[in-house]
């Protein structure tokens, strides 16, 4: 699977469980939930829960300060030797919480330099963050891109918070799309590997995502991860309440096949929680709650 890659890229992906399907059998990741705020609203999100751009909606993660996050990361690294990657993926948008996110990255890049750092974002604040991300030696960034057309975007994002104002509708979607695409181009120019996540929403963007895949690939995205919308009415999201359904397994696979062409598709995503710990699909977070970490010290 990794044979066609250059040495430099192979080095970056071979022990990252999300970027290499092979690696996910052997290497673990952990998330620290340091980022509570968000700068946009997605119709598949209920703010009480984790960011559904990267995570399974409907779970609440334990919010940590940067200091607690650093302690937890070190405790996990000492106990799970396969843990190679530390990601920040919520519970809101990491780049909408720049102080907390970058303080965590800064300390970890100094105090635990062997751990790869990874971040996932909706992309609105990405262009302004690229310089800072590259300073902390971050090789992996995920952008959730659900559309490249503001008409479709307006059906997914009711508003964004931009330059101290709330902006709605197509105008909001257009700004978000432009920021995502600009951020993608800037990251690629810096040699940072970009994964694009897309949430497949039947009847909204399902027919459009093959085009999204084509465009992000042409701009140099490394991997595309099409994830199914999970919209349960009890999660209280707009889509859940409106009875919007998610795709079935066949529909998801058909779209992933359609996008695949020569784009690398991720097919082993487990939609992890914002405080997940362990191999993908396994969650050992309960072993590393704050009170248990204090006992380990
Ligand atoms: Fe975390 Fe995401 Fe980094 Fe992986 S998860 S920030 S890229 S280290 Fe991975 Fe989990 Fe899927 Fe995300 S399986 S939800 S793709
Ligand atoms: Fe929710 Fe994440 Fe969307 Fe923000 S980016 S509204 S946290 S799903």
């Amino acid at each position: 699977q990794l044979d066609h890659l250059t040495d430099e890229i192979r080095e970056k992906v071979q022990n990252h469980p999300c970027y290499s399907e092979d690696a996910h059998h052997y290497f673990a990741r952990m998330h620290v939930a340091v980022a509570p705020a968000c700068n946009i609203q997605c119709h598949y999100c209920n703010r009480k829960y984790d960011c559904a751009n990267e995570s399974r909606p409907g779970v609440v993660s334990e919010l940590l300060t940067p200091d607690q996050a650093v302690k937890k990361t070190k405790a996990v690294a000492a106990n799970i030797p396969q843990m190679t990657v530390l990601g920040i993926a919520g519970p809101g948008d990491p780049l909408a919480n720049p102080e907390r996110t970058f303080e965590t990255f800064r300390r970890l890049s100094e105090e635990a330099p062997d751990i790869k750092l990874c971040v996932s974002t909706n992309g609105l604040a990405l262009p302004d963050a690229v310089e800072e991300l590259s300073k902390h030696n971050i090789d992996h960034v995920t952008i959730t891109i659900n559309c490249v057309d503001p008409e479709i975007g307006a059906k997914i994002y009711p508003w964004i918070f931009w330059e101290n104002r709330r902006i709605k509708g197509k105008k909001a979607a257009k700004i978000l799309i432009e920021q995502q695409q600009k951020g993608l181009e800037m990251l690629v120019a810096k040699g940072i590997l970009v994964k694009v996540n897309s949430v497949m929403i039947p009847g909204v963007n399902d027919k459009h995502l093959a085009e999204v895949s084509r465009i992000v690939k042409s701009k140099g995205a490394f991997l595309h991860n099409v994830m199914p919308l999970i919209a349960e009415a009890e999660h209280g999201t707009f889509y859940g309440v409106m009875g919007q359904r998610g795709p079935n397994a066949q529909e998801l696979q058909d779209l992933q096949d359609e996008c695949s062409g020569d784009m690398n598709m991720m097919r082993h995503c487990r939609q992890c929680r914002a405080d997940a710990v362990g191999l993908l699909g396994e969650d050992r977070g309960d072993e590393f709650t704050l009170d248990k970490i204090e006992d380990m010290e």
Side-chain angles (χ1 to χ4, degrees), residues 38-42 44-47 50-53 91-93 122:
C38 190
N39 47 8
I40 70 173
Q41 177 68 56
C42 306
Y44 46 73
C45 180
N46 172 346
R47 291 306 183 69
D50 287 359
C51 173
N53 275 336
D93 186 74
N122 62 42

Side-chain angles (χ1 to χ4, degrees), residues 21 102 113 133 177 189 209-210 253 290:
E21 185 151 9
F102 288 123
L133 288 167
I177 291 165
L209 284 179
Q253 198 194 319
L290 283 178

Side-chain angles (χ1 to χ4, degrees), residues 63 83 89 94 135 144 178 212 215 224 236 251-252 254 283 290:
L63 189 67
M83 204 281 288
K135 263 195 230 151
T144 300
E178 284 169 3
V212 171
I215 290 174
H224 192 194
E251 289 169 321
L252 179 67
D254 289 347
D283 197 349
L290 283 178

Side-chain angles (χ1 to χ4, degrees), residues 49-273:
Y49 302 125
D50 287 359
C51 173
N53 275 336
E54 176 87 0
S55 322
R56 181 163 290 273
V59 297
V60 185
S61 292
E62 182 182 46
L63 189 67
L64 304 182
T65 65
D67 188 57
Q68 290 168 330
V70 170
K71 284 196 182 123
K72 179 170 177 174
T73 306
K74 289 178 175 172
V76 173
N79 286 281
I80 307 183
Q82 309 92 313
M83 204 281 288
T84 48
V85 178
L86 179 281
I88 302 184
D93 186 74
L95 302 182
N97 302 261
E99 289 87 9
R100 298 170 63 96
T101 294
F102 288 123
E103 170 71 4
T104 307
F105 282 150
R106 185 187 60 71
R107 283 200 43 199
L108 285 172
S109 62
E110 286 167 13
E111 297 172 37
D114 293 341
I115 297 175
K116 282 185 196 297
L117 303 176
C118 188
V119 66
S120 159
T121 177
N122 62 42
L124 183 65
L126 181 57
D128 289 336
V130 168
E131 196 54 46
E132 182 91 29
L133 288 167
S134 67
K135 263 195 230 151
H136 300 298
N137 235 349
I138 290 165
D139 285 332
H140 302 85
V141 175
T142 296
I143 316 171
T144 300
I145 300 181
N146 294 320
C147 57
V148 289
D149 174 350
E151 292 272 351
I152 295 172
K155 297 182 189 149
I156 303 172
Y157 308 103
W159 54 261
I160 65 170
F161 197 72
W162 177 248
E163 295 178 341
N164 301 315
R165 282 188 306 136
R166 190 172 296 221
I167 299 176
K168 295 184 187 164
K170 263 195 279 179
K171 198 171 158 205
K174 183 165 181 284
I175 296 169
L176 177 63
I177 291 165
E178 284 169 3
Q179 290 291 99
Q180 291 171 337
Q181 296 296 320
K182 186 172 166 198
L184 166 61
E185 289 162 21
M186 291 171 72
L187 291 168
V188 170
K190 286 221 176 264
I192 295 174
L193 290 188
V194 182
K195 170 162 74 63
V196 170
N197 282 357
S198 301
V199 181
M200 178 183 183
I201 311 160
V204 177
N205 70 348
D206 51 339
K207 303 264 184 306
H208 175 60
L209 284 179
E211 186 186 351
V212 171
S213 199
R214 233 178 357 260
I215 290 174
V216 300
K217 180 188 178 243
S218 74
K219 293 192 176 176
F222 177 75
L223 188 63
H224 192 194
N225 174 23
V226 178
M227 310 185 298
L229 172 74
I230 301 172
E232 311 280 345
E234 62 269 27
H235 293 160
T237 64
F238 175 84
Y239 281 152
V241 171
M242 298 303 282
Q244 168 70 50
R245 69 175 184 94
N248 62 38
Q250 189 62 50
E251 289 169 321
L252 179 67
Q253 198 194 319
D254 289 347
L255 177 59
Q256 288 172 335
D257 291 345
E258 192 188 342
C259 292
S260 62
D262 48 358
M263 178 65 168
N264 302 316
M265 298 300 292
M266 177 175 188
R267 297 187 192 242
H268 61 288
C269 177
R270 299 298 167 84
Q271 297 182 276
C272 325
R273 357 178 355 146

